[in-house]
């Protein structure tokens, strides 16, 4: 499709000039004009190979936000406190469990940024999917508008043909009536 036709599509369906369109909108208009499918998320980076750090971050986030983690965490806490409370002679971390507080602080300090890394990557994937959904929806909307225009054009053509046929039938009836009842 040439640039003039693309400009017409832009002004007709997006109500903007070609120069005002974003690169995404231009891509969508090219897809509409060339009848290219964009519904498959080929440009959403789902199949990208994850690095070791990304895989670890996903696993830590997955496990750190689960009931098994909470259960194991309580077992660990009660085990630590129970062991240090029952070892009356030489507990390695006597009450108020300062070493336990240090371990928990270190765990939180390490776990929080790792979970944030995983969430940031998930948010980026969500943005890519949302952008792709926007493209698919806009293309579908433009194609629906084009279909409506074609239907309206067909209806107009059919109506004009019907009017022509009615006029032809009316003339034929007039001739028939005139031939059966000649005027004096």
């Amino acid at each position: 499709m040439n640039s003039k036709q693309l400009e017409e599509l832009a002004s007709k369906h997006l109500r903007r000039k070609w120069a005002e369109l974003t690169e995404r909108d231009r891509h969508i208009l090219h897809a509409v004009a060339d009848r290219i499918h964009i519904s498959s998320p080929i440009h959403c980076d789902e199949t990208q190979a994850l690095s070791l750090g990304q895989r670890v971050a996903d696993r830590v986030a997955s496990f750190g936000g689960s009931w098994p983690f909470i259960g194991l965490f309580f077992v660990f806490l009660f085990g630590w406190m129970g062991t240090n409370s029952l070892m009356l002679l030489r507990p390695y971390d006597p009450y108020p469990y300062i070493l336990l507080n240090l371990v928990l602080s270190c765990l939180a300090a390490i776990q929080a940024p790792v979970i944030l890394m995983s969430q940031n990557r998930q948010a980026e994937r969500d943005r890519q999917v949302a952008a792709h959904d926007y493209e698919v929806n806009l293309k579908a909307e433009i194609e629906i508008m084009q279909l409506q225009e074609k239907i309206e054009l067909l209806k107009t053509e059919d109506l004009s043909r019907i009017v022509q046929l009615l006029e032809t039938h009316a003339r034929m009836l007039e001739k028939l009536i005139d031939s059966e009842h000649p005027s004096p």
Side-chain angles (χ1 to χ4, degrees):
M1 191 170 260
N2 65 31
S3 61
K4 184 170 174 79
Q5 291 169 323
L6 288 171
E7 287 178 22
E8 286 177 17
L9 274 176
S11 65
K12 188 178 200 179
H13 297 296
L14 300 179
R15 293 178 180 29
R16 286 184 278 164
K17 294 180 180 177
W18 182 259
E20 297 171 354
L21 296 179
T22 64
E23 190 60 37
R24 178 190 299 158
D25 291 340
R26 290 179 184 182
H27 167 73
I28 293 168
L29 286 180
H30 276 290
V32 168
D34 298 337
R35 312 288 299 159
I36 298 171
H37 294 282
I38 61 172
S39 60
S40 60
I42 55 173
H43 61 281
C44 291
D45 228 353
E46 293 293 322
T47 59
Q48 174 187 351
L50 298 177
S51 69
L52 176 64
Q54 291 171 328
R55 288 193 307 269
V56 169
D58 285 346
R59 291 226 172 98
V60 168
S62 175
F63 182 67
S66 67
W67 284 108
F69 172 78
I70 293 172
L72 288 173
F73 188 70
F74 277 120
V75 167
F76 171 76
L77 285 178
F78 290 130
W80 185 289
M81 290 186 277
T83 302
N84 282 290
S85 297
L86 295 177
M87 293 178 69
L88 300 175
L89 296 176
R90 290 189 121 302
Y92 55 89
D93 186 23
Y95 182 82
Y97 311 118
I98 295 172
L99 183 59
L100 176 63
N101 283 325
L102 177 66
V103 169
L104 295 178
S105 297
C106 289
L107 176 68
I110 300 281
Q111 190 179 21
V114 170
I115 290 172
L116 285 175
M117 285 187 283
S118 178
Q119 287 178 338
N120 287 340
R121 206 174 62 265
Q122 181 61 44
E124 179 58 33
R125 280 193 302 258
D126 291 345
R127 277 190 291 277
Q128 288 177 348
V129 168
H132 182 261
D133 288 347
Y134 168 79
E135 291 175 4
V136 170
N137 291 340
L138 182 58
K139 182 176 184 279
E141 185 177 343
I142 290 170
E143 289 185 351
I144 288 170
M145 284 189 258
Q146 288 178 330
L147 285 173
Q148 287 174 332
E149 289 172 3
K150 288 177 183 176
I151 290 171
E152 287 299 318
L153 181 63
L154 289 173
K155 284 168 60 176
T156 304
E157 289 173 358
D158 285 348
L159 285 176
S160 66
R161 266 189 267 149
I162 290 171
V163 168
Q164 287 175 352
L165 287 173
L166 286 174
E167 289 172 353
T168 305
H169 286 299
R171 282 193 301 271
M172 290 171 64
L173 279 174
E174 284 176 13
K175 286 180 184 179
L176 185 63
I177 291 173
D178 287 345
S179 67
E180 289 183 3
H181 303 289
S183 31

